[in-house]
Amino acid sequence: MSTVRRAALVLTTLSAALALTACGPAEDDAAGGTVTATPAGPSTASSEPPSKPSKPSKPSKPSAPSTPSGGGSSADYDVFPCSTFDVTFTASLAEPTTSSYLLKVTNKGTKACRALGHPVVTFGDLDGAATERGAAPGIEDALRLEPGESAYAGLMGGADDGKGRTVGSIAMTMNTESDLEQTPLTASTPNLYVSPDINSVTPWVNNVEDALSL
């Protein structure tokens, strides 16, 4: 064998050996090596910690009842009827032909009271009371008198018809719609003629004009 061919064979053999050495580790990994995967760590939650529950709101206070409409405020239910113990009383001649008198009561107390209905008027020593003339409001709408305020009523004895009598005074009590015993209040009425058929008295009102025109 020539020297050139021998050299070529040696180079070929050396190249093959180098190729096998280079491929060895890779083949070992492919054949029997195990690739260990590193497990991913748990992800960290990015959300903020839950907020504290809000405190329940305090219940609101109930509103006060509304004032009923109509016959005045709710405080009026504490206002009692006026009696003769609560008022002063006067009678003034308004029209002599018909023996008409203006009756006036004034609240002399420290609390309001109500002048109910018609005054109860008697004539001197005559029997009976004056006839009620005109409609009066109910107790809830009756005239309210604050301390110092007055109410008025018109009293008519009637024209001289030859059937009646003349008296010099009258007595008055207030309508209280109760069995309260009152002391009658008197007023002088010189030459008041009282007709048994015509005499009358109006309900309490808050002005003189209405009292004499009802």
Side-chain angles (χ1 to χ4, degrees), residues 104-107 143-146 148-152 205-207:
K104 176 183 176 182
V105 291
T106 301
N107 183 355
L143 185 60
R144 173 178 174 141
L145 298 182
E146 297 292 340
E149 290 185 341
S150 300
Y152 306 88
V205 293
N206 61 1
N207 65 86

Side-chain angles (χ1 to χ4, degrees), residues 149-178:
E149 290 185 341
S150 300
Y152 306 88
L155 174 68
M156 183 176 68
D160 189 349
D161 57 4
K163 301 179 183 180
R165 286 179 50 190
T166 299
V167 297
S169 66
I170 59 174
M172 187 277 303
T173 56
M174 301 292 291
N175 178 2
T176 62
E177 293 192 358
S178 71

Side-chain angles (χ1 to χ4, degrees), residues 55-81:
K55 295 182 180 179
S57 59
K58 295 182 180 179
S60 58
K61 294 182 180 179
S63 58
S66 59
T67 301
S69 61
S73 67
S74 58
D76 288 348
Y77 293 109
D78 296 331
V79 179
F80 296 99

Side-chain angles (χ1 to χ4, degrees), residues 90-149:
T90 61
S92 305
L93 181 63
E95 212 289 305
T97 304
T98 56
S99 293
S100 294
Y101 276 78
L102 175 68
L103 309 183
K104 176 183 176 182
V105 291
T106 301
N107 183 355
K108 67 179 181 179
T110 58
K111 296 182 179 180
C113 65
R114 287 191 178 278
L116 301 187
H118 299 71
V120 180
V121 180
T122 56
F123 300 98
D125 59 353
L126 299 180
D127 294 332
T131 303
E132 294 181 354
R133 181 173 84 246
I139 185 171
E140 292 183 358
D141 298 316
L143 185 60
R144 173 178 174 141
L145 298 182
E146 297 292 340
E149 290 185 341

Side-chain angles (χ1 to χ4, degrees), residues 190-211:
N191 299 317
L192 169 60
Y193 182 82
V194 182
S195 168
D197 301 326
I198 304 175
N199 73 83
S200 61
V201 66
T202 69
W204 294 113
V205 293
N206 61 1
N207 65 86
V208 173
E209 183 179 356
D210 288 345

